[in-house]
Amino acid sequence: MFDIKAIRENPKFFDNAWARRGIPPQSAALLEMDSELRTKQTELQECQSRRNEASKAIGIAKSKGEDASGAIQEVGELKEKMSILEEEVRELSEKLNAALSRIDNVPGADVPDGESEDDNKEIRKWGELPAFDFEPKQHFDIGESLGQMDFDGAAKMSGARFVILRGDLAKLERALAAFMLDMHTNEYGYEEVSVPLLVRDQALYGTSQLPKFEEDLFKTTTDHYLIPTGEVPLTNMVRETIVEEEKLPIRLTCLSSCYRSEAGSAGRDTRGMIRLHQFQKVEMVSITTPEQSDEELERMTGIAEQVLKRLGLPYRAVMLCTGDMGFAAHKTYDLEVWLPGQNMYREISSCSNTGDFQARRMKARCRPKSDKKTRFVHTLNGSGLAVGRTLVAVLENYQQADGSVVIPDVLKPYMGGQEVINPS
């Protein structure tokens, strides 16, 4: 969300920034709506002022016993005109806000220009790719051979893009989530939060899923939405608040189920756990001052990388180009884990700095010590990690020729000392 005053003061900056994301110039149309709105607001204010003067004139005339019928008629006409103007101002304001709410955030100066994921910039790689003396399988073949991953059974009760995990795989999923949460809270200062999985539209508007991406969401008959990510409830914890700056950064984490319709994913990843309607994710959210957010993004990304390192999963970090970034992002790093079964890197975490883009929508502000003036906070979010995709990566990277899967060392305490997952 943008401040129309900022666009008014520097339209060229915004048009150039949007052009980097492949968005045609927007400032002229926005400023035309803004001009029309301000004209109506001025006209309304003039009517209010004139009505006040006429009302005073009525009082004076009556106190002197003079005829006030002319002033009374004028007040009546002004009230009617004001009612029309108030409705016009409301409609124009909603129209302008709706237009502003659908325009992508401006990219950071160091974000590479590009049109698609092919133009993303690789920042670094970590880990040696595993070598196998057999043809590595994909995770769904491994899980089904273990007898602990059931897509057909899930489809009977829920349809496509759902899965049932049983036995050791269900335990492994729980172990992964617990390991991630323990690391974030015990070592990196994140506060664990248990969040609602159902939210109202204003929460999704605040974190930019609405109104533009409603088709990706599951909506209930009570006008609640199932959350697509823990980012939504965590970030909205500072909605309509003023935080003292000495308390920043605020770092929050949660494990939640996430629900996505995958409206634009027809034909993509139709087998397996890569793209499900329901999945588990450990989310990280940071609320910072504007000066802290760049450094916080590097820190957050590094923490997500640390999860992968401790699990011994090879990955690469990429900076997303302007054409591949999410709607609300100012700058984004993706972590892509190596999947031997697919012989390629796949996204497992996305860490973004949204600047004040979400904060403006949520009216989330901070205030320096001993200063009455407030300013918008910066918000950041990152996967730390997507639990299902991490389970996929563990299965594929730790698979054995006999169909078993070795459990990574850091997870063994969470698995009761178990070292290998064998077929049921």
Side-chain angles (χ1 to χ4, degrees):
M1 191 74 169
F2 301 102
D3 181 0
I4 190 62
K5 181 180 178 182
I7 298 174
R8 198 185 304 145
E9 292 173 349
N10 197 353
K12 187 175 180 180
F13 165 80
F14 285 93
D15 280 341
N16 289 341
W18 290 325
R20 294 180 60 204
R21 300 194 70 154
I23 301 172
Q26 303 288 315
S27 64
L30 293 169
L31 293 178
E32 183 179 349
M33 284 187 274
D34 175 53
S35 177
E36 187 178 0
L37 172 60
R38 288 194 293 150
T39 298
K40 293 294 183 182
Q41 288 172 329
T42 299
E43 192 175 350
L44 177 59
Q45 290 169 356
E46 290 172 350
C47 285
Q48 290 171 331
S49 178
R50 179 58 199 147
R51 183 196 62 180
N52 293 338
E53 292 175 359
S55 296
K56 289 181 181 178
I58 292 170
I60 293 171
K62 287 184 174 180
S63 68
K64 295 180 179 181
E66 299 174 352
D67 181 19
S69 58
I72 292 172
Q73 181 179 349
E74 183 181 10
V75 168
E77 291 172 351
L78 285 167
K79 283 184 177 179
E80 185 176 341
K81 185 176 182 180
M82 285 171 57
S83 178
I84 294 171
L85 285 170
E86 286 169 351
E87 181 63 19
E88 290 177 339
V89 166
R90 184 189 65 78
E91 290 178 355
L92 287 168
S93 180
E94 288 180 356
K95 181 181 177 182
L96 177 59
N97 286 333
L100 288 168
S101 70
R102 290 180 175 272
I103 305 176
D104 300 41
N105 199 357
V106 299
D110 59 340
V111 172
D113 290 342
E115 298 180 359
S116 70
E117 61 183 18
D118 296 331
D119 301 311
N120 293 339
K121 180 182 177 182
E122 184 177 293
I123 305 299
R124 54 187 167 268
K125 282 183 177 178
W126 182 90
E128 292 186 17
L129 303 187
F132 299 93
D133 56 6
F134 59 93
E135 184 69 26
K137 297 178 180 179
Q138 294 199 52
H139 68 280
F140 44 81
D141 289 327
I142 300 168
E144 288 176 336
S145 295
L146 289 170
Q148 300 173 33
M149 185 179 290
D150 185 359
F151 296 98
D152 292 338
K156 289 177 183 177
M157 65 178 83
S158 302
R161 297 191 187 276
F162 289 92
V163 67
I164 295 171
L165 298 178
R166 304 176 64 171
D168 288 339
L169 288 193
K171 190 174 181 180
L172 180 63
E173 181 184 47
R174 176 161 53 90
L176 283 164
F179 159 65
M180 295 173 194
L181 287 172
D182 283 350
M183 197 186 93
H184 297 332
T185 56
N186 296 337
E187 299 182 40
Y188 292 102
Y190 283 82
E191 179 185 0
E192 185 174 352
V193 183
S194 178
V195 298
L197 302 182
L198 290 166
V199 295
R200 296 199 181 273
D201 57 359
Q202 62 264 33
L204 288 154
Y205 176 84
T207 47
S208 312
Q209 283 82 14
L210 288 178
K212 193 170 183 178
F213 304 105
E214 185 164 15
E215 67 173 2
D216 294 327
L217 304 170
F218 286 107
K219 187 177 182 179
T220 73
T221 56
T222 59
D223 290 331
H224 289 88
Y225 292 83
L226 289 164
I227 62 169
T229 166
E231 169 200 349
V232 177
L234 288 181
T235 310
N236 272 276
M237 286 174 65
V238 294
R239 178 186 182 86
E240 297 176 2
T241 63
I242 298 174
V243 183
E244 300 302 325
E245 287 192 6
E246 61 263 30
K247 296 181 180 179
L248 299 177
I250 295 172
R251 298 182 176 120
L252 307 169
T253 187
C254 75
L255 168 68
S256 76
S257 294
C258 305
Y259 303 89
R260 299 182 185 179
S261 72
E262 298 293 346
S265 301
R268 297 174 59 192
D269 299 310
T270 54
R271 287 199 68 190
M273 292 179 59
I274 293 294
R275 203 175 295 274
L276 298 175
H277 288 313
Q278 173 187 315
F279 58 94
Q280 297 280 310
K281 182 155 66 81
V282 172
E283 186 74 3
M284 299 179 288
V285 160
S286 294
I287 313 297
T288 76
T289 65
E291 295 80 12
Q292 294 169 328
S293 65
D294 286 341
E295 182 178 347
E296 187 70 10
L297 177 60
E298 303 298 325
R299 182 184 190 272
M300 178 181 285
T301 306
I303 293 169
E305 290 182 65
Q306 192 62 225
V307 175
L308 291 168
K309 288 178 179 177
R310 295 189 191 185
L311 289 168
L313 297 173
Y315 70 91
R316 68 173 186 168
V318 298
M319 186 190 299
L320 299 196
C321 71
T322 52
D324 196 33
M325 280 200 311
F327 172 79
H330 177 66
K331 180 178 179 179
T332 298
Y333 291 112
D334 269 9
L335 302 182
E336 299 176 350
V337 69
W338 177 252
L339 298 183
Q342 294 191 28
N343 195 39
M344 64 186 299
Y345 289 99
R346 296 298 302 266
E347 179 198 336
I348 196 168
S349 174
S350 189
C351 298
S352 297
N353 181 1
T354 71
D356 64 5
F357 189 80
Q358 294 178 330
R360 289 182 179 277
R361 299 166 80 107
M362 295 188 301
K363 298 180 176 61
R365 299 174 181 269
C366 59
R367 178 168 46 211
K369 192 174 183 179
S370 304
D371 193 344
K372 294 182 178 180
K373 189 175 180 180
T374 63
R375 53 185 182 157
F376 290 105
V377 298
H378 279 198
T379 61
L380 302 94
N381 62 83
S383 311
L385 303 165
V387 179
R389 291 195 178 192
T390 310
L391 185 144
V392 166
V394 169
L395 293 182
E396 294 199 12
N397 281 273
Y398 284 89
Q399 61 181 297
Q400 306 296 299
D402 63 0
S404 64
V405 176
V406 173
I407 297 171
D409 288 342
V410 293
L411 297 181
K412 290 175 183 176
Y414 296 92
M415 297 287 290
Q418 184 176 343
E419 297 189 351
V420 179
I421 296 176
N422 290 302
S424 298

